[in-house]
């Protein structure tokens, strides 16, 4: 059978093929982009125009690549050198966080990415890509790494250079989820975990293995998460992490007892402690300690032995915060016997057995306190007087919330005798005795009960910035003359009368008024507006003839400005400051 002869193919010269490819690329570009309305060669309008210039014989280059394609093409470059050595903790290069406004201190761009200056139009510069990706949360950064090779490489270098990581571990996530993220960050210094599920010593082992340079660790719980870490496992972790400086952990009800030994640990926060059999602290550089115990009646922790141990091994303590129902006058005596020389902050919360005698012991031993928190104690106005007599030159923060024996007279005396006071919390002090006991309405006519009603507070202070009077239901009149006050809490001040409220606070920015009368909220808004209008300067400033300085112009010079204000057709260039925010 005769085989069919192949058909001869037309011969195309290389020059003709090159011209055809160029023409096809040109037509494709013109179809995709409308381009300019002027000729690209002579600059004349295109409509009815025939260009007299010759068409170049060289192939027309394709249109500039898009940002994604450019990123892919640039990944063929030789790999960049490894990132520089980690900077000190005080100058963090970058932070990976779920928060949008994370402040990443240090250089704004990675040094390895700044050399890509000769990039074609339409491409992402390396520094610009770094700035875009560093604003993504961890989940977004992992998604962006799937776009192309260049983005994946940039994300890898970003993970490798990260020194701070804050992530939330969902309920269904396994330990491998945390391990996969931590392995991407070998230079990690600060780690914050918010865990929704249960965790145990395996989590600590994963952190210890993946973060050799870890200095700050914070583990918080939420929902039904359970912390199953024992005291021995925690002590082993602290002793192995020789560079750990700060440890904060919640849900520590399963510790039972622990022995912490570290020469670098300076900050220790443990919450939800319960019935600890032993507490040994061998941390000579410990500066701040916060221990919060559960509010259960069967707590059997020996706080006196604990504070004696602090006195033997942690002599550099400056800040002490202890919240427990077992706080008593005996504990305060043991605390004063230790005599921490550098103590500046003392917070003893929920100690119902702390009395004025305890205040006398504290005042006679620690005379340089800057913050004193005795919330939930049984001190009276006499105890406040002792504090004012000893600490008028140092105390700037005083918190005496949930102290039912303190009256409005004691609050006024404390603000008058403490000139450096900037924060004061008097929540639930001036409270209605019948608000929590419905049966007390029948006994409210007795003089003892009636003494708590209709209390008035007059405060005039030059430096006070935050004042909290939440839950003061017996307060019916309030006068504040505080030029620096910015935050005022009046939540649940249900008996405060609008006509008995005077706020002379021109810098007030935030007022909490939840549970207050609607008329009171309206009075607050009106007085804040009046204070702002009174403090606003309506007289413009004019320069002198020699331009030496600006002075307030007399009425004859700003009469024209007033005419402009009365003319609604003209725009006024005036920057309005946002008024105070009222939360109700």
């Amino acid at each position: 059978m005769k085989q069919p002869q192949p058909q001869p193919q037309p011969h195309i010269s290389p020059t003709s093929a090159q011209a055809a490819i160029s023409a096809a690329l040109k037509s494709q570009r013109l179809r995709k982009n409308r381009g300019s309305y002027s000729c690209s060669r002579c600059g004349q309008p295109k409509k009815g125009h025939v260009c007299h210039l010759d068409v170049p014989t060289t192939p027309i280059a394709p249109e500039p690549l898009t940002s994604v394609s450019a990123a892919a093409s640039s990944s063929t470059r030789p790999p960049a050198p490894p990132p520089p050595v980690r900077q000190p903790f005080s100058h963090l290069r970058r932070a990976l966080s779920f928060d949008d406004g994370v402040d990443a201190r240090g250089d704004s761009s990675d040094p390895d990415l700044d050399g890509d200056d000769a990039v074609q139009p339409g491409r992402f510069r390396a520094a610009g890509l770094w700035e875009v990706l560093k604003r993504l949360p961890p989940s977004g950064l992992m998604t962006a790494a799937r776009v192309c090779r260049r983005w994946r490489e940039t994300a890898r270098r970003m993970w490798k250079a990260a020194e701070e990581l804050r992530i939330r571990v969902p309920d269904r996530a396994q330990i491998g989820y945390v391990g996969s993220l931590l392995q991407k960050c070998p230079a990690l210094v600060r780690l914050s975990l918010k865990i929704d599920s249960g965790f145990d010593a395996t989590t600590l082992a994963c952190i210890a293995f993946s973060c050799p340079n870890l200095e700050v660790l914070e583990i918080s719980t939420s929902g039904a998460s359970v912390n199953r870490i024992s005291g021995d496992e925690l002590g082993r972790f602290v002793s192995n992490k020789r560079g750990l400086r700060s440890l904060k952990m919640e849900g520590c009800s399963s510790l039972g007892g622990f022995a912490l030994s570290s020469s670098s640990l300076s900050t220790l926060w443990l919450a939800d402690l319960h019935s600890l059999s032993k507490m040994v602290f061998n941390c000579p550089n410990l500066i701040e300690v916060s221990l919060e115990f559960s509010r259960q009646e069967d707590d059997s922790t020996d706080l006196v032995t604990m504070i004696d141990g602090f006195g033997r091994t942690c002599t550099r303590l400056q800040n002490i915060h202890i919240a427990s129902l077992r706080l008593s006058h005996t504990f305060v005596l043991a605390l004063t016997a230790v005599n921490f020389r550098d103590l500046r902050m003392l917070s003893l919360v929920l100690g119902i057995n702390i009395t004025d005698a305890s205040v006398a012991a504290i005042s006679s031993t620690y005379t340089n306190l800057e913050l004193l928190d005795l919330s939930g104690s049984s001190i009276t106005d006499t105890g406040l007087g002792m504090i004012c007599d000893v600490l008028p030159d140092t105390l700037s923060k005083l918190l005496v919330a949930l102290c039912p024996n303190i009256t409005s007279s004691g609050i006024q005396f404390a603000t008058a005798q403490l000139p450096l006071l900037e924060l004061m919390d008097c929540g639930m002090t001036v409270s209605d005795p019948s608000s929590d006991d419905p049966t007390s309405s029948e006994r409210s006519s007795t003089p003892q009960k009636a003494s708590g009603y209709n209390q008035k507070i007059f405060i005039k202070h030059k430096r006070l910035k935050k004042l909290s009077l939440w839950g003061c239901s017996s307060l019916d009149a309030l006068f504040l003359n505080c030029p620096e006050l910015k935050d005022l809490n009046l939540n649940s001040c249900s008996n405060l009368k609008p006509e008995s409220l005077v706020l002379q606070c021109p810098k007030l920015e935030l007022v909490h008024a939840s549970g207050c009368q609607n008329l009171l909220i309206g009075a607050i808004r009106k007085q804040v507006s009046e204070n702002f209008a009174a403090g606003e300067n309506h007289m413009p400033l004019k320069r002198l003839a020699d331009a030496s300085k600006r002075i307030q112009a007399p009425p004859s010079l700003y009469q024209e400005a007033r005419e402009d204000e009365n003319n609604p057709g003209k725009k006024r260039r005036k920057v309005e400051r946002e008024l105070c925010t009222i939360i109700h």
Side-chain angles (χ1 to χ4, degrees), residues 54-226:
D54 295 335
V55 180
T57 57
T58 57
I60 300 176
E63 60 179 301
L65 300 174
T66 61
S67 58
V68 177
S69 301
S73 64
S74 64
S75 62
T76 59
R77 295 176 301 174
V85 182
R86 176 176 56 82
Q87 298 181 1
F89 174 72
S90 58
H91 301 283
L92 297 181
R93 288 173 51 83
R94 135 134 188 84
L96 294 174
S97 171
F98 282 110
D99 299 337
D100 295 331
V102 179
D103 181 15
R105 288 174 286 182
D107 297 335
S108 60
S109 59
D110 186 74
D112 303 336
L113 305 174
D114 291 339
D116 191 13
D117 292 330
V119 184
Q120 296 182 7
R123 291 185 177 184
F124 261 138
R125 293 181 181 270
L129 179 60
W130 181 276
E131 291 295 327
V132 171
L133 294 184
K134 84 174 188 178
R135 287 165 171 78
L136 297 178
S139 58
L141 187 60
M142 296 175 68
T143 304
R146 304 191 188 105
V147 172
C148 62
R149 286 180 294 174
R150 187 189 181 196
W151 284 40
R152 181 168 59 255
E153 180 65 20
T154 305
R156 185 190 65 81
R157 281 180 283 181
M158 188 169 294
W159 282 107
K160 192 173 182 179
E163 294 189 350
E164 180 177 0
L165 178 63
R166 289 185 287 174
I167 58 178
R168 180 168 185 170
V169 183
D171 189 9
R172 294 173 292 178
Q174 303 295 330
I175 187 62
Y177 172 77
V178 179
S180 62
L181 291 180
L182 296 183
Q183 289 179 1
K184 299 175 182 289
C185 311
L188 201 62
V189 177
R190 296 175 59 95
L191 176 61
S192 177
L193 298 177
K194 189 174 183 63
I195 302 179
D196 296 338
S197 60
F199 62 100
D200 51 15
T202 309
T203 306
L204 290 182
C206 179
I207 295 173
F209 177 78
S210 305
C211 307
N213 301 320
L214 190 65
E215 298 179 2
V216 178
L217 175 61
E218 180 178 354
I219 300 179
S220 58
T221 59
S222 63
S225 59
V226 179

Side-chain angles (χ1 to χ4, degrees), residues 345-363:
M345 187 197 86
L346 180 59
S347 175
L348 305 178
V349 182
L350 302 178
I352 193 173
N353 294 322
I354 295 179
T355 60
D356 292 340
S358 307
V359 175
I362 294 174
S363 302

Side-chain angles (χ1 to χ4, degrees), residues 355-398:
T355 60
D356 292 340
S358 307
V359 175
I362 294 174
S363 302
S364 61
T365 306
Y366 302 107
T367 58
N368 295 321
L369 292 178
E370 299 175 1
L371 182 148
L372 181 60
D373 187 357
L374 298 177
S375 300
S377 64
S378 299
I379 66 172
T380 63
D381 294 346
T382 305
L384 285 181
M386 297 179 188
I387 296 173
C388 298
D389 293 339
V390 179
L391 305 172
D393 300 329
T394 60
L395 195 64
S396 60
K397 299 177 179 63
L398 178 61

